[in-house]
């Protein structure tokens, strides 16, 4: 007797196929989806604030949601501008001084490292004159190739800059509409779930929402602790810019490697400008080395990983795996996505343990 599919199986296969096509389409449209994904993440994080404002009253009238959304977005913009206003004065102060100190620094570097390089048969001068000679020689031998590379980089970089500008301009607009209609959007998406899966999906969604809320609180704690640590550590080492550099490093730690990298560069520049010997550089190495260990192996696993029910090793693996698969965006989404996956895996495991396949 030939095997035949039932109408329900045909319907299931049809909608699964459509779902896979939609996923493939989203992957193909990945670059242009960036502002929408970023806006959705921000909307999820900012919606509680909008809800809180919406419950307030202006006299006898409830607070309009559109006005609440506008206020929350403006507060977000002001927070971003505040960070920029902390960074820019430090850069404006340090970069001109650094330009004047570079020749002296290179001369000292050549005096320290040059003799060791000569012991290995490497005759290279690391002072200003030696570097100028190397650059002049390189430019004269491969000028055409360098200009071709520069032009290609400018072309690619210009396209990337335009893409970033479009994203920056589009995110506030998308964010406003998402926050304005957040509850109706969630309700419409919920109605698309098949009736027989409504109860289970609703329970899993609430569990995921609880985990992500704990993740956000844990991440804020990590940022606060690291801002205090770096500011205190640099202040003990005698840095004049300890407070702004420490705050920058701590607040931007939610962007993996960017906050740490920017803070490290600013601290190294400050060390070169403020201290004559290697004292400043050694202090930066110690403070930021301990800080990276503190963040990666203690704070993030404990304050973030444990709050979302993930073992510290799973947190480290998630960061590395998502970064390898999806690059920088994957690193940003590693822990939230891992929280969602942990809920799914828990329910799949429970279903597996109850199945006849496991028990017989």
């Amino acid at each position: 007797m030939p095997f035949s599919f039932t109408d329900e199986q045909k319907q299931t296969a049809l909608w699964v196929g459509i779902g896979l096509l939609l996923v493939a389409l989203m992957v193909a449209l990945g670059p242009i989806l960036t502002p929408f994904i970023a806006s959705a993440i921000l909307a999820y994080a900012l919606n509680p604030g909008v809800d809180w404002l919406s419950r307030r009253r202006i006299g006898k009238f409830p607070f309009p949601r559109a006005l609440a959304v506008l206020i929350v977005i403006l507060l977000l913009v002001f927070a971003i501008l505040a960070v920029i206003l902390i960074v820019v004065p430090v850069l404006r102060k340090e970069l001109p001084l650094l330009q004047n100190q570079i020749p002296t620094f290179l001369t000292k570097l050549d005096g320290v490292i040059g003799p060791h390089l000569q012991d290995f048969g490497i005759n290279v001068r690391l002072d200003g004159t030696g570097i100028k000679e190397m650059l002049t020689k390189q430019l004269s031998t491969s000028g055409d190739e360098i200009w071709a590379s520069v032009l290609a980089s400018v072309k690619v970089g210009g396209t990337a800059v335009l893409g970033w500008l479009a994203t920056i301009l589009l995110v506030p607009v998308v964010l406003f509409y998402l926050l304005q209609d957040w509850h109706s959007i969630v309700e419409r998406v919920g109605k698309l779930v098949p009736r027989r899966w409504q109860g289970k999906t609703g329970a899993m969604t609430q569990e995921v929402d609880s985990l992500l809320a704990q993740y956000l609180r844990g991440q804020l704690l990590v940022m606060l602790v690291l801002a205090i640590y770096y500011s205190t550590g640099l202040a003990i080492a005698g840095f004049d810019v300890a407070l702004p550099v420490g705050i920058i490093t701590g607040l931007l730690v939610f962007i993996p490697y960017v906050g740490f990298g920017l803070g490290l560069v600013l601290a190294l520049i400050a060390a070169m400008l403020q201290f004559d010997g290697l004292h400043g550089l050694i202090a930066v190495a110690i403070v930021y080395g301990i800080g990276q260990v503190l963040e990666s192996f203690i704070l993030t696993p404990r304050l973030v990983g444990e709050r979302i029910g993930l073992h510290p090793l799973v947190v480290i693996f998630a960061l590395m795996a998502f970064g390898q698969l999806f690059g920088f965006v994957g690193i940003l989404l590693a822990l939230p996505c891992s929280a969602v996956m942990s809920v799914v895996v828990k329910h799949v495991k429970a279903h597996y343990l109850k199945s006849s396949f496991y028990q017989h």
Side-chain angles (χ1 to χ4, degrees):
M1 181 177 178
F3 177 79
S4 60
F5 291 99
T6 64
D7 289 340
E8 184 177 353
Q9 289 173 330
K10 291 179 181 178
Q11 286 285 325
T12 301
L14 172 64
W15 291 113
V16 169
I18 292 175
L20 292 175
L21 287 175
L22 288 175
V23 171
L25 180 62
M26 291 181 67
V27 172
L29 297 176
I32 66 172
L33 289 178
T34 300
F36 297 93
I37 294 174
S39 300
I41 295 171
L42 288 173
Y44 175 81
L46 298 176
N47 182 64
V50 174
D51 287 344
W52 183 85
L53 277 177
S54 298
R55 291 192 294 268
R56 306 301 99 184
R57 289 182 175 274
I58 303 177
K60 297 181 180 180
F61 301 98
F63 208 91
R65 185 171 179 86
L67 182 58
V69 170
L70 185 60
I71 290 174
V72 168
I73 292 177
L74 288 176
L75 289 175
L76 175 65
V77 173
F78 288 151
I80 295 173
L81 289 177
V83 174
I84 294 174
L85 291 175
I86 292 174
V87 175
V88 171
V90 175
L91 292 177
R92 290 184 63 183
K93 176 184 177 182
E94 291 189 351
L95 290 181
L97 295 174
L98 177 65
Q99 186 177 2
N100 296 330
Q101 293 290 332
I102 284 177
T104 304
F105 175 76
L106 290 176
T107 301
K108 291 181 180 179
L109 185 66
D110 183 60
V112 174
I113 300 179
H116 297 288
L117 293 177
Q118 291 177 2
D119 293 339
F120 292 97
I122 303 175
N123 295 316
V124 177
R125 293 179 60 188
L126 297 177
D127 58 2
T129 304
I131 291 178
K132 284 181 181 179
E133 291 177 355
M134 286 189 292
L135 290 175
T136 303
K137 183 178 179 181
Q138 183 65 27
L139 288 173
S140 63
T141 56
S142 56
D144 294 337
E145 292 83 354
I146 291 175
W147 277 112
S149 300
V150 169
L151 292 175
S153 300
V154 168
K155 183 178 178 180
V156 174
T159 304
V161 169
L162 290 176
W164 276 103
L165 287 176
T167 299
I168 292 172
L169 294 175
L170 188 57
V171 164
V173 177
V174 177
L175 179 60
F176 179 86
Y177 287 109
L178 283 176
L179 284 172
Q180 173 72 17
D181 302 321
W182 181 258
H183 294 292
S184 61
I185 292 172
V186 172
E187 183 180 355
R188 287 198 293 267
V189 171
K191 289 180 178 179
L192 294 176
V193 178
R195 300 292 94 185
R196 61 182 180 273
W197 296 345
Q198 284 275 325
K200 195 70 173 177
T201 304
M204 291 178 64
T205 302
Q206 291 178 2
E207 194 172 347
V208 168
D209 182 65
S210 175
L211 280 178
L212 290 180
Q214 293 180 55
Y215 163 76
L216 290 175
R217 288 194 291 267
Q219 190 64 63
L220 288 174
L221 278 175
V222 171
M223 293 163 59
L224 177 62
V225 171
L226 287 178
I228 294 173
Y229 164 77
Y230 282 115
S231 299
T232 305
L234 293 175
I236 292 174
F239 281 77
D240 296 334
V241 292
L243 185 61
V245 172
I247 292 175
I248 291 167
T249 309
L251 293 184
L252 294 183
V253 76
F254 74 95
I255 308 177
Y257 306 118
V258 172
F260 176 82
L262 179 60
L264 178 61
V265 170
L266 292 175
L268 288 174
I269 293 173
M272 292 167 57
L273 297 176
Q274 186 175 339
F275 302 98
D276 293 331
L278 295 177
H279 163 71
L281 298 177
I282 294 173
V284 171
I286 293 173
V287 170
Y288 277 80
I290 295 175
Q292 186 65 14
V293 172
L294 185 67
E295 175 195 349
S296 300
F297 297 99
I298 299 176
L299 292 179
T300 297
R302 297 292 181 184
L303 295 180
V304 179
E306 286 188 354
R307 284 174 174 263
I308 60 179
L310 297 178
H311 191 276
L313 289 178
V314 176
V315 173
I316 297 171
F317 175 79
L319 289 171
M320 296 177 65
F322 276 84
Q324 177 67 29
L325 292 174
F326 305 109
F328 180 69
V329 175
I331 294 175
L332 286 179
L333 298 177
L335 292 183
C337 289
S338 298
V340 175
M341 290 173 63
S342 69
V343 174
V344 175
V345 169
K346 185 177 74 172
H347 285 271
V348 170
K349 179 183 177 182
H351 182 73
Y352 166 71
L353 294 177
K354 293 178 182 177
S355 65
S356 59
F357 178 81
Y358 172 78
Q359 295 183 358
H360 297 290

